[in-house]
């Protein structure tokens, strides 16, 4: 089956923040996560999106301010989508983390039995508290035993793709992690080679920006980990699209 993507929340921002040359008009962005069912491994969760961990409950000051500034409106949660597919949290044995920004990991603690697949963990642990906050990373959202349950993308075998190399998550070629550096430390997408589908997460916020090169200016660029690397990642995605792959992003607008 194809992965199922759902909006954990929506946020509303001025268009110019997410599109170079954009206007002042408000744009409602999705904050997506995904579920894909592997034939043997069962449901694979792709990020968790935003959850109540961001909008309420006991939080430190930085995370409280973050939630107040962005004011996400919560929608579907991973448990909802899993239930519609006939699964529960206990059935999830693998959670793929595209990167460690709060809008992608807020629900990780709800999956205490799953293994995590992610890249960039050493870079994350080397950051100072200020660097983490500046880049939208809040350690309290990361399970205490994350490292013990982590399978590092960097250690997985690689497979050739028409536009680069992917890391084989299950060793059967069905799902590949695709490094897309630039947006955040360890930022990766996912490739389903048989379906010619790529989930590019936050390689860019809008498909329009990815295709046209009208990337954001101003405050939105402060979060970038490496802007030159992001430019290379976007070129790779355009090459993939030209070779017939469909690209899905996390934050494309919703109606």
């Amino acid at each position: 089956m194809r992965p199922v993507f759902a909006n954990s929340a929506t946020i509303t921002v001025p268009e110019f923040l997410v599109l170079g040359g954009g206007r002042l008009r408000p744009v409602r962005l999705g904050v997506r996560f995904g579920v894909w069912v592997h034939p043997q491994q069962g449901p694979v969760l792709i990020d968790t999106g935003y959850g109540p961990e961001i909008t309420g409950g006991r939080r430190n000051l930085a995370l409280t301010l973050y939630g107040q500034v962005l004011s996400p409106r919560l929608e579907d949660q991973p448990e909802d989508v899993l239930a519609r597919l006939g699964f529960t949290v206990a059935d999830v044995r693998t959670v793929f983390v595209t990167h460690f920004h709060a809008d992608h990991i807020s629900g990780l603690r709800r999956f205490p039995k799953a293994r995590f697949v992610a890249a960039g963990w050493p870079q994350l642990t080397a950051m100072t508290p200020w660097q983490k906050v500046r880049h939208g990373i809040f350690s309290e959202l990361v399970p205490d035993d994350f490292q013990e349950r982590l399978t590092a993308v960097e250690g997985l075998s690689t497979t050739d793709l028409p536009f680069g190399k992917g890391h084989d998550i299950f060793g059967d070629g069905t799902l590949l992690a695709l490094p897309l550096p630039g947006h955040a430390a360890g930022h990766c997408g996912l490739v389903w080679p048989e379906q010619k589908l790529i989930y590019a997460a936050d390689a860019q916020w809008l498909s329009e920006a990815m295709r046209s090169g009208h990337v954001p200016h101003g405050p939105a660029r402060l979060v970038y980990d490496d802007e030159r690397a992001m430019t290379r990642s976007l070129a790779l995605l355009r090459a993939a699209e030209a070779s017939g792959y469909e690209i899905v992003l996390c934050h494309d607008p919703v109606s």
Side-chain angles (χ1 to χ4, degrees):
M1 62 172 282
R2 284 173 61 91
V4 174
F5 293 102
N7 284 313
S8 65
T10 58
I11 59 172
T12 301
V13 300
E15 184 185 57
F16 74 85
L17 280 180
V18 290
L19 182 67
R23 292 172 283 180
L24 286 171
R25 67 175 185 175
V27 178
R28 187 167 167 248
L29 303 180
V31 182
R32 295 180 178 87
F33 66 92
V35 177
W36 177 66
V37 181
H38 184 276
Q40 283 77 46
Q41 300 295 326
V44 177
L45 184 63
I46 304 157
D47 290 336
T48 66
Y50 276 137
E53 298 85 356
I54 299 295
T55 58
R58 297 181 62 182
R59 297 168 289 165
N60 66 24
L61 178 60
L63 189 56
T64 299
L65 292 174
Y66 171 91
Q68 290 174 346
V69 168
L70 290 173
S71 299
R73 292 186 59 184
L74 297 186
E75 296 191 2
D76 272 338
Q77 294 296 292
E79 296 90 335
D80 303 324
V81 176
L82 287 166
R84 291 199 291 268
L85 295 173
F87 300 106
T88 69
V89 165
D91 295 315
V92 178
R93 291 192 279 173
T94 303
V95 178
F96 182 82
V97 179
T98 62
H99 60 297
F100 293 92
H101 286 168
D103 55 334
H104 295 260
I105 67 164
S106 71
L108 288 186
R109 290 183 179 272
R110 291 182 242 159
F111 297 86
K113 300 300 182 182
R115 70 159 178 156
F116 301 114
V117 180
W121 180 248
Q123 295 96 306
L124 182 96
T125 55
M127 288 182 181
T128 66
W130 163 243
Q131 287 172 325
K132 290 179 181 178
V133 170
R134 181 199 157 201
H135 287 285
I137 297 168
F138 301 92
S139 296
E140 66 189 272
L141 298 175
V142 180
D144 297 335
D145 60 350
F146 184 89
Q147 185 165 334
E148 288 72 32
R149 291 195 273 152
L150 173 65
T151 296
V153 167
E154 296 91 337
L156 298 173
S157 62
T158 59
T159 298
D160 288 330
L161 291 161
F163 44 84
K165 290 183 179 293
H167 296 263
D168 195 341
I169 293 175
F170 294 109
D172 59 7
T174 59
L175 183 63
L176 308 179
L178 179 67
L180 294 170
H183 175 72
H187 184 269
C188 284
L190 286 171
V191 183
W192 290 264
E194 288 189 5
Q195 300 178 26
K196 302 195 78 172
L197 174 66
I198 297 174
Y199 179 59
D202 285 13
Q204 192 48 257
W205 284 299
L206 305 186
S207 295
E208 182 178 352
M210 179 188 77
R211 296 187 180 106
S212 68
H214 292 163
V215 297
H217 299 283
R221 300 173 83 139
L222 295 177
V223 73
Y224 292 173
D225 180 64
D226 184 334
E227 191 165 346
R228 289 185 179 180
M230 174 179 274
T231 299
R232 293 191 293 271
S233 293
L234 292 177
L236 181 150
L237 289 172
R238 287 193 289 268
E241 195 169 48
S243 68
Y245 277 75
E246 176 187 353
I247 311 292
V248 176
L249 297 175
C250 179
H251 296 300
D252 258 335
V254 297
S255 57

